[in-house]
mmCIF file of all heavy atoms in Angstrom:
data_model
loop_
_atom_site.group_PDB
_atom_site.id
_atom_site.type_symbol
_atom_site.label_atom_id
_atom_site.label_comp_id
_atom_site.label_asym_id
_atom_site.label_seq_id
_atom_site.Cartn_x
_atom_site.Cartn_y
_atom_site.Cartn_z
ATOM 1 N N ILE A 1 0.899 -1.244 0.081
ATOM 2 C CA ILE A 1 0.046 0.038 0.001
ATOM 3 C C ILE A 1 0.879 1.276 -0.020
ATOM 4 O O ILE A 1 0.651 2.146 -0.749
ATOM 5 C CB ILE A 1 -0.945 0.002 1.194
ATOM 6 C CG1 ILE A 1 -1.901 -1.095 1.103
ATOM 7 C CG2 ILE A 1 -1.733 1.239 1.263
ATOM 8 C CD1 ILE A 1 -2.842 -1.218 2.268
ATOM 9 N N GLY A 2 1.950 1.209 0.825
ATOM 10 C CA GLY A 2 2.849 2.432 0.993
ATOM 11 C C GLY A 2 2.321 3.373 1.955
ATOM 12 O O GLY A 2 1.146 3.532 2.194
ATOM 13 N N ASN A 3 3.259 4.067 2.646
ATOM 14 C CA ASN A 3 3.006 5.104 3.566
ATOM 15 C C ASN A 3 2.035 4.649 4.624
ATOM 16 O O ASN A 3 1.082 5.360 5.014
ATOM 17 C CB ASN A 3 2.357 6.271 2.738
ATOM 18 C CG ASN A 3 2.322 7.570 3.700
ATOM 19 O OD1 ASN A 3 3.180 7.751 4.572
ATOM 20 N ND2 ASN A 3 1.323 8.429 3.488
ATOM 21 N N ILE A 4 2.234 3.492 5.085
ATOM 22 C CA ILE A 4 1.478 2.949 6.295
ATOM 23 C C ILE A 4 2.269 2.136 7.227
ATOM 24 O O ILE A 4 3.196 1.394 6.768
ATOM 25 C CB ILE A 4 0.249 2.124 5.660
ATOM 26 C CG1 ILE A 4 -0.657 1.709 6.775
ATOM 27 C CG2 ILE A 4 0.678 0.933 4.974
ATOM 28 C CD1 ILE A 4 -1.840 0.935 6.349
ATOM 29 N N ASP A 5 2.064 2.352 8.510
ATOM 30 C CA ASP A 5 2.832 1.747 9.535
ATOM 31 C C ASP A 5 2.214 0.333 9.707
ATOM 32 O O ASP A 5 1.112 0.151 10.012
ATOM 33 C CB ASP A 5 2.776 2.467 10.835
ATOM 34 C CG ASP A 5 3.690 1.953 11.916
ATOM 35 O OD1 ASP A 5 3.819 0.740 12.043
ATOM 36 O OD2 ASP A 5 4.455 2.748 12.527
ATOM 37 N N PRO A 6 2.977 -0.729 9.576
ATOM 38 C CA PRO A 6 2.431 -2.055 9.732
ATOM 39 C C PRO A 6 1.846 -2.415 11.147
ATOM 40 O O PRO A 6 1.068 -3.350 11.315
ATOM 41 C CB PRO A 6 3.644 -3.121 9.397
ATOM 42 C CG PRO A 6 4.806 -2.149 9.715
ATOM 43 C CD PRO A 6 4.461 -0.743 9.281
ATOM 44 N N ARG A 7 2.210 -1.620 12.079
ATOM 45 C CA ARG A 7 1.757 -1.781 13.435
ATOM 46 C C ARG A 7 0.163 -1.590 13.630
ATOM 47 O O ARG A 7 -0.494 -2.008 14.575
ATOM 48 C CB ARG A 7 2.409 -0.976 14.548
ATOM 49 C CG ARG A 7 3.833 -1.435 14.768
ATOM 50 C CD ARG A 7 4.581 -0.578 15.703
ATOM 51 N NE ARG A 7 4.759 0.816 15.170
ATOM 52 C CZ ARG A 7 5.151 1.892 15.896
ATOM 53 N NH1 ARG A 7 5.438 1.790 17.203
ATOM 54 N NH2 ARG A 7 5.218 3.041 15.313
ATOM 55 N N ILE A 8 -0.378 -0.782 12.638
ATOM 56 C CA ILE A 8 -1.823 -0.552 12.821
ATOM 57 C C ILE A 8 -2.575 -1.791 12.580
ATOM 58 O O ILE A 8 -3.774 -1.908 12.965
ATOM 59 C CB ILE A 8 -2.288 0.634 11.868
ATOM 60 C CG1 ILE A 8 -2.343 0.033 10.361
ATOM 61 C CG2 ILE A 8 -1.440 1.735 12.000
ATOM 62 C CD1 ILE A 8 -3.109 0.984 9.443
ATOM 63 N N PHE A 9 -2.139 -2.743 11.867
ATOM 64 C CA PHE A 9 -2.715 -4.056 11.697
ATOM 65 C C PHE A 9 -2.862 -4.952 13.085
ATOM 66 O O PHE A 9 -3.652 -5.799 13.114
ATOM 67 C CB PHE A 9 -2.101 -4.959 10.676
ATOM 68 C CG PHE A 9 -2.144 -4.344 9.214
ATOM 69 C CD1 PHE A 9 -1.141 -3.646 8.707
ATOM 70 C CD2 PHE A 9 -3.468 -4.451 8.586
ATOM 71 C CE1 PHE A 9 -1.330 -3.027 7.447
ATOM 72 C CE2 PHE A 9 -3.530 -3.787 7.360
ATOM 73 C CZ PHE A 9 -2.552 -3.225 6.801
ATOM 74 N N ASN A 10 -2.124 -4.342 14.038
ATOM 75 C CA ASN A 10 -2.345 -5.077 15.428
ATOM 76 C C ASN A 10 -3.661 -4.802 15.895
ATOM 77 O O ASN A 10 -4.171 -5.440 16.815
ATOM 78 C CB ASN A 10 -1.232 -4.579 16.448
ATOM 79 C CG ASN A 10 0.145 -5.019 16.043
ATOM 80 O OD1 ASN A 10 0.219 -6.219 15.367
ATOM 81 N ND2 ASN A 10 1.125 -4.312 16.338
ATOM 82 N N PHE A 11 -4.300 -3.701 15.441
ATOM 83 C CA PHE A 11 -5.612 -3.306 15.970
ATOM 84 C C PHE A 11 -6.771 -4.241 15.238
ATOM 85 O O PHE A 11 -7.951 -4.150 15.745
ATOM 86 C CB PHE A 11 -6.062 -1.780 15.575
ATOM 87 C CG PHE A 11 -5.124 -0.912 16.246
ATOM 88 C CD1 PHE A 11 -4.195 -0.117 15.599
ATOM 89 C CD2 PHE A 11 -5.382 -0.623 17.662
ATOM 90 C CE1 PHE A 11 -3.390 0.897 16.219
ATOM 91 C CE2 PHE A 11 -4.674 0.358 18.282
ATOM 92 C CZ PHE A 11 -3.646 1.046 17.626
ATOM 93 N N LEU A 12 -6.321 -5.006 14.263
ATOM 94 C CA LEU A 12 -7.213 -5.928 13.664
ATOM 95 C C LEU A 12 -7.628 -7.121 14.372
ATOM 96 O O LEU A 12 -8.680 -7.795 14.082
ATOM 97 C CB LEU A 12 -6.654 -6.133 12.251
ATOM 98 C CG LEU A 12 -7.590 -6.891 11.225
ATOM 99 C CD1 LEU A 12 -8.870 -6.150 10.954
ATOM 100 C CD2 LEU A 12 -6.860 -7.278 9.986
ATOM 101 N N LEU A 13 -6.679 -7.565 15.206
ATOM 102 C CA LEU A 13 -6.848 -8.919 15.876
ATOM 103 C C LEU A 13 -8.183 -8.996 16.570
ATOM 104 O O LEU A 13 -8.422 -8.284 17.448
ATOM 105 C CB LEU A 13 -5.709 -9.244 16.847
ATOM 106 C CG LEU A 13 -5.749 -10.484 17.601
ATOM 107 C CD1 LEU A 13 -5.590 -11.651 16.637
ATOM 108 C CD2 LEU A 13 -4.734 -10.566 18.633
ATOM 109 N N PRO A 14 -8.999 -10.016 16.145
ATOM 110 C CA PRO A 14 -10.491 -10.045 16.798
ATOM 111 C C PRO A 14 -10.491 -10.919 17.974
ATOM 112 O O PRO A 14 -11.262 -11.880 18.173
ATOM 113 C CB PRO A 14 -11.257 -10.695 15.589
ATOM 114 C CG PRO A 14 -10.275 -11.641 14.912
ATOM 115 C CD PRO A 14 -8.937 -10.876 15.079
ATOM 116 N N PHE A 15 -9.580 -10.595 18.990
ATOM 117 C CA PHE A 15 -9.492 -11.327 20.130
ATOM 118 C C PHE A 15 -10.930 -11.378 20.965
ATOM 119 O O PHE A 15 -11.172 -12.440 21.535
ATOM 120 C CB PHE A 15 -8.369 -10.811 21.078
ATOM 121 C CG PHE A 15 -8.415 -11.433 22.440
ATOM 122 C CD1 PHE A 15 -8.140 -12.936 22.544
ATOM 123 C CD2 PHE A 15 -8.643 -10.734 23.541
ATOM 124 C CE1 PHE A 15 -8.109 -13.489 23.883
ATOM 125 C CE2 PHE A 15 -8.669 -11.285 24.851
ATOM 126 C CZ PHE A 15 -8.396 -12.664 24.917
ATOM 127 N N PRO A 16 -11.571 -10.263 20.950
ATOM 128 C CA PRO A 16 -12.870 -10.342 21.723
ATOM 129 C C PRO A 16 -13.790 -11.499 21.424
ATOM 130 O O PRO A 16 -14.490 -11.962 22.246
ATOM 131 C CB PRO A 16 -13.531 -8.972 21.458
ATOM 132 C CG PRO A 16 -12.330 -8.127 21.150
ATOM 133 C CD PRO A 16 -11.356 -8.933 20.440
ATOM 134 N N PHE A 17 -13.721 -11.974 20.081
ATOM 135 C CA PHE A 17 -14.655 -13.011 19.752
ATOM 136 C C PHE A 17 -14.357 -14.431 20.499
ATOM 137 O O PHE A 17 -15.285 -15.105 20.952
ATOM 138 C CB PHE A 17 -14.675 -13.227 18.283
ATOM 139 C CG PHE A 17 -14.061 -14.476 17.704
ATOM 140 C CD1 PHE A 17 -14.785 -15.624 17.717
ATOM 141 C CD2 PHE A 17 -12.705 -14.453 17.336
ATOM 142 C CE1 PHE A 17 -14.099 -16.853 17.254
ATOM 143 C CE2 PHE A 17 -12.171 -15.600 16.790
ATOM 144 C CZ PHE A 17 -12.841 -16.792 16.821
ATOM 145 N N VAL A 18 -12.991 -14.648 20.769
ATOM 146 C CA VAL A 18 -12.663 -15.894 21.467
ATOM 147 C C VAL A 18 -13.109 -15.915 22.921
ATOM 148 O O VAL A 18 -13.498 -16.802 23.593
ATOM 149 C CB VAL A 18 -11.199 -16.286 21.247
ATOM 150 C CG1 VAL A 18 -10.933 -16.630 19.809
ATOM 151 C CG2 VAL A 18 -10.313 -15.119 21.682
ATOM 152 N N ALA A 19 -12.825 -14.550 23.478
ATOM 153 C CA ALA A 19 -13.285 -14.446 24.944
ATOM 154 C C ALA A 19 -14.777 -14.553 25.020
ATOM 155 O O ALA A 19 -15.366 -15.132 25.943
ATOM 156 C CB ALA A 19 -12.826 -13.088 25.497
ATOM 157 N N ALA A 20 -15.555 -13.939 24.089
ATOM 158 C CA ALA A 20 -16.965 -14.023 24.147
ATOM 159 C C ALA A 20 -17.449 -15.416 23.943
ATOM 160 O O ALA A 20 -18.512 -15.913 24.480
ATOM 161 C CB ALA A 20 -17.703 -13.124 23.064
ATOM 162 N N THR A 21 -16.801 -16.183 23.155
ATOM 163 C CA THR A 21 -17.128 -17.640 22.926
ATOM 164 C C THR A 21 -17.106 -18.316 24.237
ATOM 165 O O THR A 21 -18.039 -19.147 24.583
ATOM 166 C CB THR A 21 -16.154 -18.287 21.886
ATOM 167 O OG1 THR A 21 -16.246 -17.630 20.668
ATOM 168 C CG2 THR A 21 -16.568 -19.800 21.684
ATOM 169 N N VAL A 22 -15.979 -18.152 24.994
ATOM 170 C CA VAL A 22 -15.985 -18.841 26.311
ATOM 171 C C VAL A 22 -17.083 -18.413 27.184
ATOM 172 O O VAL A 22 -17.706 -19.165 27.923
ATOM 173 C CB VAL A 22 -14.533 -18.529 26.944
ATOM 174 C CG1 VAL A 22 -14.450 -19.139 28.342
ATOM 175 C CG2 VAL A 22 -13.422 -19.039 26.049
ATOM 176 N N ARG A 23 -17.397 -17.070 27.096
ATOM 177 C CA ARG A 23 -18.538 -16.572 28.000
ATOM 178 C C ARG A 23 -19.850 -17.225 27.552
ATOM 179 O O ARG A 23 -20.539 -17.617 28.447
ATOM 180 C CB ARG A 23 -18.564 -14.960 27.848
ATOM 181 C CG ARG A 23 -19.951 -14.431 28.336
ATOM 182 C CD ARG A 23 -20.030 -14.614 29.824
ATOM 183 N NE ARG A 23 -21.322 -14.214 30.294
ATOM 184 C CZ ARG A 23 -22.434 -15.004 30.419
ATOM 185 N NH1 ARG A 23 -22.372 -16.277 29.900
ATOM 186 N NH2 ARG A 23 -23.482 -14.647 30.848
ATOM 187 N N LEU A 24 -20.079 -17.289 26.328
ATOM 188 C CA LEU A 24 -21.394 -17.856 25.881
ATOM 189 C C LEU A 24 -21.476 -19.348 26.103
ATOM 190 O O LEU A 24 -22.653 -19.834 26.405
ATOM 191 C CB LEU A 24 -21.649 -17.514 24.396
ATOM 192 C CG LEU A 24 -21.864 -16.045 24.007
ATOM 193 C CD1 LEU A 24 -22.085 -15.890 22.544
ATOM 194 C CD2 LEU A 24 -23.143 -15.520 24.769
ATOM 195 N N LEU A 25 -20.428 -20.002 25.941
ATOM 196 C CA LEU A 25 -20.407 -21.492 26.093
ATOM 197 C C LEU A 25 -20.194 -21.963 27.482
ATOM 198 O O LEU A 25 -20.755 -23.053 27.913
ATOM 199 C CB LEU A 25 -19.450 -22.215 25.148
ATOM 200 C CG LEU A 25 -19.719 -21.865 23.626
ATOM 201 C CD1 LEU A 25 -18.629 -22.700 22.780
ATOM 202 C CD2 LEU A 25 -21.088 -22.409 23.233
ATOM 203 N N ILE A 26 -19.473 -21.210 28.280
ATOM 204 C CA ILE A 26 -19.124 -21.741 29.632
ATOM 205 C C ILE A 26 -19.733 -20.783 30.677
ATOM 206 O O ILE A 26 -20.880 -20.847 31.117
ATOM 207 C CB ILE A 26 -17.610 -21.918 29.855
ATOM 208 C CG1 ILE A 26 -17.137 -22.825 28.704
ATOM 209 C CG2 ILE A 26 -17.327 -22.580 31.196
ATOM 210 C CD1 ILE A 26 -15.586 -23.013 28.656
ATOM 211 N N ASN A 27 -19.047 -19.723 31.025
ATOM 212 C CA ASN A 27 -19.524 -18.628 32.041
ATOM 213 C C ASN A 27 -18.491 -17.566 32.011
ATOM 214 O O ASN A 27 -17.393 -17.563 31.498
ATOM 215 C CB ASN A 27 -19.835 -19.241 33.438
ATOM 216 C CG ASN A 27 -18.512 -19.923 34.043
ATOM 217 O OD1 ASN A 27 -17.448 -19.382 33.954
ATOM 218 N ND2 ASN A 27 -18.711 -21.107 34.614
ATOM 219 N N SER A 28 -18.951 -16.474 32.728
ATOM 220 C CA SER A 28 -18.123 -15.267 32.785
ATOM 221 C C SER A 28 -16.787 -15.471 33.490
ATOM 222 O O SER A 28 -15.754 -14.926 33.149
ATOM 223 C CB SER A 28 -18.887 -14.129 33.413
ATOM 224 O OG SER A 28 -20.006 -13.834 32.638
ATOM 225 N N GLU A 29 -16.921 -16.169 34.624
ATOM 226 C CA GLU A 29 -15.665 -16.379 35.438
ATOM 227 C C GLU A 29 -14.547 -17.082 34.652
ATOM 228 O O GLU A 29 -13.368 -16.725 34.709
ATOM 229 C CB GLU A 29 -16.056 -17.168 36.749
ATOM 230 C CG GLU A 29 -16.919 -16.472 37.725
ATOM 231 C CD GLU A 29 -18.345 -16.371 37.332
ATOM 232 O OE1 GLU A 29 -18.728 -17.027 36.342
ATOM 233 O OE2 GLU A 29 -19.185 -15.733 38.005
ATOM 234 N N THR A 30 -14.905 -18.143 33.929
ATOM 235 C CA THR A 30 -13.962 -18.784 33.142
ATOM 236 C C THR A 30 -13.520 -18.038 32.009
ATOM 237 O O THR A 30 -12.283 -18.114 31.684
ATOM 238 C CB THR A 30 -14.619 -20.124 32.575
ATOM 239 O OG1 THR A 30 -15.211 -20.968 33.663
ATOM 240 C CG2 THR A 30 -13.572 -21.097 31.881
ATOM 241 N N ALA A 31 -14.393 -17.173 31.413
ATOM 242 C CA ALA A 31 -13.855 -16.197 30.338
ATOM 243 C C ALA A 31 -12.906 -15.282 30.854
ATOM 244 O O ALA A 31 -11.934 -14.899 30.116
ATOM 245 C CB ALA A 31 -15.152 -15.494 29.820
ATOM 246 N N ILE A 32 -12.986 -14.798 32.079
ATOM 247 C CA ILE A 32 -12.048 -13.937 32.641
ATOM 248 C C ILE A 32 -10.723 -14.533 32.809
ATOM 249 O O ILE A 32 -9.649 -13.917 32.553
ATOM 250 C CB ILE A 32 -12.573 -13.211 33.984
ATOM 251 C CG1 ILE A 32 -13.685 -12.349 33.744
ATOM 252 C CG2 ILE A 32 -11.395 -12.461 34.658
ATOM 253 C CD1 ILE A 32 -14.370 -11.834 34.923
ATOM 254 N N PHE A 33 -10.721 -15.719 33.281
ATOM 255 C CA PHE A 33 -9.555 -16.567 33.406
ATOM 256 C C PHE A 33 -8.787 -16.728 32.035
ATOM 257 O O PHE A 33 -7.610 -16.559 31.838
ATOM 258 C CB PHE A 33 -9.734 -17.939 33.953
ATOM 259 C CG PHE A 33 -8.625 -18.897 33.883
ATOM 260 C CD1 PHE A 33 -7.478 -18.752 34.711
ATOM 261 C CD2 PHE A 33 -8.514 -19.867 32.808
ATOM 262 C CE1 PHE A 33 -6.453 -19.678 34.604
ATOM 263 C CE2 PHE A 33 -7.524 -20.749 32.699
ATOM 264 C CZ PHE A 33 -6.442 -20.639 33.591
ATOM 265 N N PHE A 34 -9.654 -16.872 30.984
ATOM 266 C CA PHE A 34 -9.134 -17.016 29.681
ATOM 267 C C PHE A 34 -8.518 -15.789 29.158
ATOM 268 O O PHE A 34 -7.484 -15.794 28.494
ATOM 269 C CB PHE A 34 -10.321 -17.543 28.731
ATOM 270 C CG PHE A 34 -9.831 -17.660 27.259
ATOM 271 C CD1 PHE A 34 -9.206 -18.843 26.935
ATOM 272 C CD2 PHE A 34 -10.125 -16.744 26.307
ATOM 273 C CE1 PHE A 34 -8.826 -19.007 25.624
ATOM 274 C CE2 PHE A 34 -9.747 -16.919 25.035
ATOM 275 C CZ PHE A 34 -9.034 -18.124 24.621
ATOM 276 N N ILE A 35 -9.108 -14.693 29.368
ATOM 277 C CA ILE A 35 -8.586 -13.371 28.940
ATOM 278 C C ILE A 35 -7.172 -13.163 29.691
ATOM 279 O O ILE A 35 -6.228 -12.763 29.029
ATOM 280 C CB ILE A 35 -9.461 -12.243 29.310
ATOM 281 C CG1 ILE A 35 -10.701 -12.265 28.598
ATOM 282 C CG2 ILE A 35 -8.794 -10.825 29.192
ATOM 283 C CD1 ILE A 35 -11.906 -11.332 28.952
ATOM 284 N N VAL A 36 -7.091 -13.435 31.052
ATOM 285 C CA VAL A 36 -5.799 -13.238 31.674
ATOM 286 C C VAL A 36 -4.803 -14.138 31.035
ATOM 287 O O VAL A 36 -3.617 -13.731 30.856
ATOM 288 C CB VAL A 36 -6.052 -13.646 33.217
ATOM 289 C CG1 VAL A 36 -4.578 -13.673 33.905
ATOM 290 C CG2 VAL A 36 -6.911 -12.539 33.796
ATOM 291 N N THR A 37 -5.153 -15.357 30.692
ATOM 292 C CA THR A 37 -4.177 -16.375 30.067
ATOM 293 C C THR A 37 -3.630 -15.800 28.699
ATOM 294 O O THR A 37 -2.487 -15.790 28.522
ATOM 295 C CB THR A 37 -4.930 -17.744 29.903
ATOM 296 O OG1 THR A 37 -5.289 -18.217 31.093
ATOM 297 C CG2 THR A 37 -3.954 -18.620 29.202
ATOM 298 N N ILE A 38 -4.611 -15.360 27.966
ATOM 299 C CA ILE A 38 -4.216 -14.858 26.574
ATOM 300 C C ILE A 38 -3.314 -13.607 26.794
ATOM 301 O O ILE A 38 -2.476 -13.329 25.938
ATOM 302 C CB ILE A 38 -5.286 -14.694 25.712
ATOM 303 C CG1 ILE A 38 -6.105 -16.047 25.584
ATOM 304 C CG2 ILE A 38 -4.987 -14.126 24.346
ATOM 305 C CD1 ILE A 38 -5.334 -17.123 24.971
ATOM 306 N N MET A 39 -3.689 -12.696 27.699
ATOM 307 C CA MET A 39 -2.963 -11.534 27.850
ATOM 308 C C MET A 39 -1.434 -11.830 28.206
ATOM 309 O O MET A 39 -0.588 -11.015 27.896
ATOM 310 C CB MET A 39 -3.562 -10.647 28.897
ATOM 311 C CG MET A 39 -4.742 -9.966 28.486
ATOM 312 S SD MET A 39 -4.599 -9.081 26.825
ATOM 313 C CE MET A 39 -5.496 -10.219 25.735
ATOM 314 N N ILE A 40 -1.283 -12.969 28.933
ATOM 315 C CA ILE A 40 0.100 -13.328 29.192
ATOM 316 C C ILE A 40 0.907 -13.683 27.967
ATOM 317 O O ILE A 40 2.037 -13.401 27.789
ATOM 318 C CB ILE A 40 0.178 -14.617 30.172
ATOM 319 C CG1 ILE A 40 -0.409 -14.086 31.607
ATOM 320 C CG2 ILE A 40 1.471 -15.124 30.411
ATOM 321 C CD1 ILE A 40 -0.679 -15.234 32.532
ATOM 322 N N LEU A 41 0.135 -14.319 27.069
ATOM 323 C CA LEU A 41 0.746 -14.586 25.786
ATOM 324 C C LEU A 41 1.088 -13.407 25.023
ATOM 325 O O LEU A 41 2.137 -13.222 24.376
ATOM 326 C CB LEU A 41 -0.172 -15.485 24.896
ATOM 327 C CG LEU A 41 -0.434 -16.972 25.485
ATOM 328 C CD1 LEU A 41 -1.516 -17.633 24.617
ATOM 329 C CD2 LEU A 41 0.815 -17.722 25.530
#
């Protein structure tokens, strides 16, 4: 494309969907643990 910082694509990662998946299928408490886990990564 040119004239664009590649770091802006870091805003594209749809991480909320995986956390919401844990919330909908299991529960909020487990989803929060999952968020903490992925944030460590």
Side-chain angles (χ1 to χ4, degrees):
I1 295 178
N3 192 32
I4 184 171
D5 191 316
R7 288 177 295 171
I8 72 166
F9 291 102
N10 291 331
F11 295 109
L12 186 62
L13 180 63
F15 172 65
F17 110 84
V18 291
T21 299
V22 177
R23 166 62 189 87
L24 290 177
L25 297 181
I26 308 176
N27 56 46
S28 297
E29 292 77 5
T30 308
I32 291 172
F33 169 80
F34 181 77
I35 291 172
V36 172
T37 299
I38 301 300
M39 285 310 106
I40 294 170
L41 297 176

